[in-house]
Amino acid sequence: MCQLLGLNCATPTDATFSFTGFCQRGGATDQHADGWGIAFFEGKGLRLFVDHHSAAASPMADFLRHYPLKSTNIIAHVRKATVGQVSLENAHPFTRELWGRHWVFAHNGDLKDYQPRLHSHFRPVGSTDSERAFCWIMQELSKSHAGVPSVEELTLTLRELVPQIRQFGTFNFLLSNGEALWAHCSTKLYYLVRQHPFHQATLMDQDWTVDFAQLNQPGERAAVIVTQPLTKNEDWIAFEPNELKVFVDGLPQ
């Protein structure tokens, strides 16, 4: 299985602390060494970095751990290959354009014999079940709405679409269009909200403690969503099985 990391923030925030611990699970403290990727939204733009090598040993991942790119929506992924070979085109997150916006998707799980009918311009480049699911979601969203829908409308549509994929297997995922971040738990997903009053946090996968009270202002806030808790001393909230949450401005809606 793969692992997911997402951040949804009230103000542009860097993921250096979370990403540093998360990368260790890509081949150092865990076995997810078959590729990694991270996407940062910047206004209508998107910075996407993917690699088919181990995140724990990747020079590009090391660069990003020390180069604090700031964003209000960030999605990262470390891969343990189950469907599709280890290759660059199969590294998550995946991205597509819809309604003039970038969309980013990353998946953890296996979808057995999942071959959806794709008849629009959303087609997979690689060979993963994850990218096929993403293409189908994009296709069905475009069919369901004539124009750009609100976050609330998109959430309602996703609640109708997700069970049609979930029946094929494990479907934990993160999805964002730069405006909101949707997180679906099929089996395992956790989140927390860092906000005032801020506290210290210590990574599980690396010896690093940060005092967020020294780094953040009262109005700043970030929701962190992850497959397994990243820190030892924070109160992570488990998703319910088959629960879909949407995060806006650093808070679950």
Side-chain angles (χ1 to χ4, degrees), residues 190-245:
Y190 295 83
Y191 79 95
L192 60 76
V193 175
R194 291 193 183 116
Q195 60 186 343
H196 183 77
F198 293 97
H199 303 284
Q200 285 190 346
T202 301
L203 290 174
M204 287 186 176
D205 298 88
Q206 189 158 320
D207 185 16
W208 189 12
T209 298
V210 165
D211 185 356
F212 285 102
Q214 301 296 318
L215 302 175
N216 294 277
Q217 301 300 315
E220 296 176 330
R221 181 175 59 243
V224 185
I225 305 99
V226 70
T227 302
Q228 294 273 21
L230 285 171
T231 55
K232 305 175 182 179
N233 54 342
E234 293 183 288
D235 295 325
W236 293 87
I237 301 169
F239 281 64
E240 294 296 328
N242 302 325
E243 183 177 19
L244 176 71
K245 285 184 177 292

Side-chain angles (χ1 to χ4, degrees), residues 7-96:
L7 277 80
N8 172 265
C9 312
T11 57
T13 303
D14 72 76
T16 303
F17 179 71
S18 296
F19 186 62
T20 296
F22 186 67
C23 278
Q24 299 310 304
R25 299 177 179 183
T29 60
D30 214 328
Q31 56 187 348
H32 308 90
D34 297 328
W36 66 275
I38 187 168
F40 303 84
F41 283 90
E42 293 186 23
K44 287 191 174 182
L46 181 74
R47 294 181 189 264
L48 176 66
F49 302 87
V50 291
D51 193 350
H52 61 289
H53 296 114
S54 159
S58 167
M60 184 162 59
D62 184 62
F63 166 75
L64 291 171
R65 289 196 293 270
H66 296 90
Y67 186 66
L69 290 171
K70 292 191 174 184
S71 173
T72 53
N73 285 282
I74 301 168
I75 291 178
H77 183 274
V78 288
R79 183 178 184 228
K80 179 174 173 57
T82 52
V83 178
Q85 64 183 356
V86 178
S87 60
L88 192 60
E89 65 267 24
N90 288 332
H92 307 218
F94 304 106
T95 181
R96 293 292 188 278

Side-chain angles (χ1 to χ4, degrees), residues 174-190:
L174 300 176
L175 173 71
S176 181
N177 62 354
E179 183 181 7
L181 191 152
W182 289 268
H184 177 260
C185 173
S186 182
T187 54
K188 187 182 294 185
L189 209 58
Y190 295 83

